[in-house]
Amino acid sequence: MIPILNLKPQYLEIQQEVEAAVLEVLNSTRYILGPNVRAFEQEFADYHEQPYAIGVGSGTDALHIAVRALDIGPGDEVIVPSFTFGATAGAVKLAGATPVFCDIDPVDFNMGVSQIEQAITPQTKAIIVVHIFGHPAPIEAIVELAKKHNLKVIEDTAQACGAKVGGRLVGTFGDVACYSFFPTKNLGCAGDGGALLCSDEQVFNNLTMIKNHGSPSRYTYDRTGTNSRLDEVQAAILRIKLRHLDRWNADRRKVAQFYDENLPQLGIVTPKVRPGCEHIYHQYTIRVAHRNAIQEHLNNQGVGTIVYYPKGLHKQKAFCPPQPLELPQTDLATQEVLSLPVFGELTEDELQTIIKALTSATKEYAQL
Ligand SMILES: *Cc1c(COP(=O)(O)O)cnc(C)c1O
């Protein structure tokens, strides 16, 4: 079986360095907020050319803390895509605010600027922009729209660490960016982890306080906070992996290019890259008719695939709004999308197997 993602070859490449670093942390007995977390925060901020980075416990925590740090709560609305992982909207609800779902642009699966504009009401306080599958959303236009309406912009960069727009890294455009280091993300650790990125000192102070029990100094509590930390072991691993990230992303792009060259002749709609954007292919997501049948056929041929996402958040029990909402592009995408294996260590043989399986699958279902 060719898995959708195999982390082992990447681990073997850096195994000695990672294991030495982890043992050093264990030996040091400094497990919380020690030198590795401090160094990683600095290195992660430097990578993005931003003044502030803060390690947290997960991408979900990062989103929830970001919403609260921008003073968004009950009675406020936050515009989010429906075609995303649940945590994007969950963070808004955890903060007591209301997620308002917006449709996507079918070209790149990202929320569209005009769709966002239609969702703005007097209660809107912010937009959470997901750079879905590692392709940058139209973030410059979204930031401009937000300025016009006096809204905050949170970037959900969980899938897009290293992606660029006009040569500039995503995560540096909005008020706060939220990263996940879940093991399967392009920059992943060996457990849960996340980070916040921002450029404003006041926002940085708010984020820091909320992630640290609402406490500006020890045993003083100014607001309701939480405990969310990146730990030393994860930070030590991330410091090593961050140095390889751009190369690993470039290796994924090569696999994507191979698909781009070989899939269109099979009648498969391949992911588009907007001009000026650098896609990091967290997922390589195609569109096909008869998606479920094709997925089963591929599975029988030993090719692993996943459907990200089978159902929009606007149709989920936890999130569905009181009045039913029509998001036709989101609904269509949930029926057609299929993510293929994409990681740099896929071999030529494996890639040929995938093409062969897709060729027979598309032939079989073309007539239906
Ligand atoms: C993975 C992911 C998250 C959540 O990150 P965790 O670290 O798993 O909590 C949030 N948003 C998006 C778009 C993601 O893909």
Side-chain angles (χ1 to χ4, degrees), residues 13-212:
E13 188 193 330
I14 53 170
Q15 180 178 14
Q16 283 178 341
E17 208 183 345
V18 166
E19 290 177 1
V22 169
L23 282 179
E24 198 182 310
V25 172
L26 294 182
N27 262 304
S28 77
T29 69
R30 294 283 311 270
Y31 304 138
I32 294 291
L33 300 182
N36 281 291
V37 169
R38 266 202 308 279
F40 174 70
E41 287 174 340
Q42 186 64 54
E43 287 156 13
F44 197 66
D46 290 347
Y47 174 81
H48 289 90
E49 299 179 22
Q50 289 283 287
Y52 305 112
I54 306 166
V56 291
S58 70
T60 303
D61 278 359
L63 284 161
H64 171 214
I65 292 165
V67 173
R68 295 206 38 224
L70 296 174
D71 293 317
I72 292 161
D76 296 334
E77 293 179 359
V78 179
I79 299 172
V80 299
S82 168
F83 191 66
T84 177
F85 183 61
T88 312
V92 177
K93 289 203 81 174
L94 281 174
T98 306
V100 173
F101 294 106
C102 122
D103 212 356
I104 53 169
D105 185 329
V107 170
D108 65 359
F109 304 108
N110 276 305
M111 59 210 300
V113 182
S114 61
Q115 288 90 329
I116 294 171
E117 195 158 20
Q118 284 163 28
I120 296 175
T121 76
Q123 281 70 50
T124 309
K125 288 284 153 49
I127 306 163
I128 302 185
V129 182
V130 182
H131 302 286
I132 198 83
F133 303 149
H135 187 291
I139 187 70
E140 288 163 305
I142 293 171
V143 166
E144 204 171 296
L145 176 73
K147 280 213 178 97
K148 206 168 89 189
H149 294 270
N150 200 20
L151 307 176
K152 303 288 187 196
V153 174
I154 297 170
E155 293 183 73
D156 181 342
T157 34
Q159 302 184 1
C161 190
K164 290 179 183 171
V165 182
R168 180 170 159 193
L169 285 163
V170 301
T172 65
F173 292 87
D175 294 279
V176 186
C178 304
Y179 293 82
S180 165
F181 304 128
F182 185 80
T184 61
K185 310 288 178 175
N186 289 42
L187 179 62
C189 58
D192 276 311
L196 290 151
L197 193 73
C198 70
S199 59
D200 182 87
E201 192 182 358
Q202 184 59 48
V203 173
F204 169 74
N205 290 339
N206 283 354
L207 293 167
T208 305
M209 204 197 292
I210 292 169
K211 68 149 270 186
N212 185 33

